[in-house]
Amino acid sequence: MKISTKGRYGLRVMVDLAIYGKDHYVSLNDISLRQEISVKYLEQIMRLLTGNKLIKSTRGINGGYKLREDPTKITTLMVLEALEGDLTPLECINDREFCSRCSVCYTHSFWKDFDDHMRSYLNGITIADIATRTVNYNPSR
């Protein structure tokens, strides 16, 4: 499993919104400048995040984007699945009919455990957690 640029950038955008968009909408241009991501690529990411109900947008002079919920309620799993789709490493994890060897496969339980651990880890870290680490980060420590 590889996380694409869309997933990596989208996670950064969500953290940016958590830090800078607490009380107001944040413009795409401001995000673009801070994150060094083109506006054109950000538009694609924002469409997916909006469509998956993680952010909301408004037009006009004070328009832009904002998190739909408190960042403590948005997990990294939610963001990555919105941008990457299903993160399950193998089809047979969700659909035992996918492979005729599922019931006798030596490695099926390994992959199932891997998927469970990955999901547990990503569900245990929120956008607020990353934003807090980012704001408190000091490379001189």
Side-chain angles (χ1 to χ4, degrees):
M1 167 187 59
K2 284 190 178 185
I3 303 298
S4 71
T5 304
K6 196 181 310 178
R8 292 190 343 262
Y9 287 4
L11 203 51
R12 284 176 28 202
V13 165
M14 294 294 285
V15 173
D16 189 283
L17 290 173
I19 294 169
Y20 295 100
K22 293 177 186 170
D23 302 320
H24 62 281
Y25 286 86
V26 180
S27 78
L28 210 55
N29 285 332
D30 288 346
I31 297 168
S32 174
L33 289 171
R34 277 192 298 271
Q35 297 304 318
E36 298 178 352
I37 304 169
S38 76
V39 170
K40 193 145 190 83
Y41 198 48
L42 277 175
E43 288 171 344
Q44 295 174 34
I45 292 169
M46 297 313 219
R47 248 189 312 279
L48 289 169
L49 293 172
T50 303
N52 281 281
K53 308 222 182 297
L54 293 175
I55 63 173
K56 54 187 173 180
S57 66
T58 188
R59 295 183 183 271
I61 190 119
N62 294 317
Y65 296 87
K66 190 176 191 174
L67 297 179
R68 191 172 283 276
E69 291 194 52
D70 187 283
T72 61
K73 295 180 179 171
I74 303 171
T75 69
T76 56
L77 180 63
M78 293 164 69
V79 175
L80 290 174
E81 285 192 326
L83 297 166
E84 301 287 342
D86 184 16
L87 297 177
T88 305
L90 299 172
E91 284 291 324
C92 62
I93 301 300
N94 291 332
D95 180 10
R96 292 182 67 88
E97 303 289 317
F98 182 79
C99 175
S100 62
R101 293 196 42 81
C102 226
S103 62
V104 295
C105 179
Y106 297 146
T107 61
H108 186 269
S109 64
F110 165 79
W111 291 113
K112 174 72 172 111
D113 289 348
F114 173 80
D115 185 57
D116 290 345
H117 287 290
M118 182 241 346
R119 286 178 182 287
S120 176
Y121 177 75
L122 293 174
N123 251 334
I125 299 175
T126 67
I127 297 303
D129 294 331
I130 299 173
T132 300
R133 290 180 201 167
T134 302
V135 171
N136 294 330
Y137 176 69
N138 181 351
S140 63
R141 284 189 202 164

